[in-house]
Amino acid sequence: MLNTLSDTFDDSPYLQLVAEMHQKLRALKNTMTFSIDGDRDSLGFMEVIRTALTDHQIKIDTVEDKNHLSVYLSTTVGNSVSYGFNVAKTVLLVTVKDYQGKIIGGNRLNINGQATQGDSAALENASKKLQNMIQKEGLAKVLGVDLDF
């Protein structure tokens, strides 16, 4: 835009700075690692998040260095039956911590799953809804962190 206002404006230093910042961001993303843990009811949700991270070429590792983030999932499930459907009313608490253990993000998600085959199938349906939510809203929003995935 400034080039159109002034023919003498040299944008090359600014373009070089932006290119360097993108290169540093890619390098940081290549060294960033995540670990995922959770309670027993969160196993299906953990797999969904693990898959989403690997789809974004983020490494899953337990090495805790300065570029490591840990995700902990805690799930509360209320099971009921309504009109012949098993309903799993889940509250998924997502906590994201940095390598020092400081909370840097998180989210509280209410996800209901339904099935006719029992409570475990209803909980599995809730994890599929989390997968759809990640595809629709993005992984960063679901985790509650401001990272460029």
Side-chain angles (χ1 to χ4, degrees), residues 27-141:
L28 180 61
K29 187 176 176 182
N30 288 337
T31 61
M32 182 183 296
T33 59
F34 274 78
S35 61
I36 304 169
D37 198 11
D39 58 18
R40 189 189 61 150
D41 288 330
S42 300
L43 293 176
F45 298 118
M46 287 169 45
E47 189 57 37
V48 169
I49 291 176
R50 181 177 288 113
T51 301
L53 287 168
T54 56
D55 286 349
H56 286 92
Q57 288 84 37
I58 302 285
K59 295 177 194 122
I60 308 297
D61 201 351
T62 57
V63 177
E64 295 190 18
D65 63 5
K66 65 179 182 174
N67 293 331
H68 181 78
L69 300 176
S70 60
V71 178
Y72 184 80
L73 303 179
S74 175
T75 304
T76 305
V77 181
N79 292 314
S80 63
V81 177
S82 178
Y83 297 105
F85 286 92
N86 294 78
V87 179
K89 295 180 180 181
T90 64
V91 177
L92 177 63
L93 296 176
V94 180
T95 306
V96 181
K97 296 181 180 181
D98 68 4
Y99 73 102
Q100 295 175 324
K102 294 179 188 171
I103 296 175
I104 62 165
N107 207 344
R108 181 179 193 270
L109 304 168
N110 297 310
I111 306 171
N112 295 331
Q114 304 87 15
T116 58
Q117 299 86 13
D119 292 337
S120 62
L123 189 58
E124 184 179 330
N125 181 272
S127 68
K128 289 179 184 176
K129 286 187 176 182
L130 175 65
Q131 184 177 17
N132 292 338
M133 188 182 300
I134 289 172
Q135 290 173 350
K136 187 185 234 182
E137 298 179 23
L139 182 59
K141 182 160 182 154

Side-chain angles (χ1 to χ4, degrees), residues 4-20:
T4 60
L5 295 175
S6 172
D7 292 337
T8 61
F9 180 75
D10 182 18
D11 64 353
S12 61
Y14 300 101
L15 294 175
Q16 183 179 354
L17 177 64
V18 170
E20 288 173 6

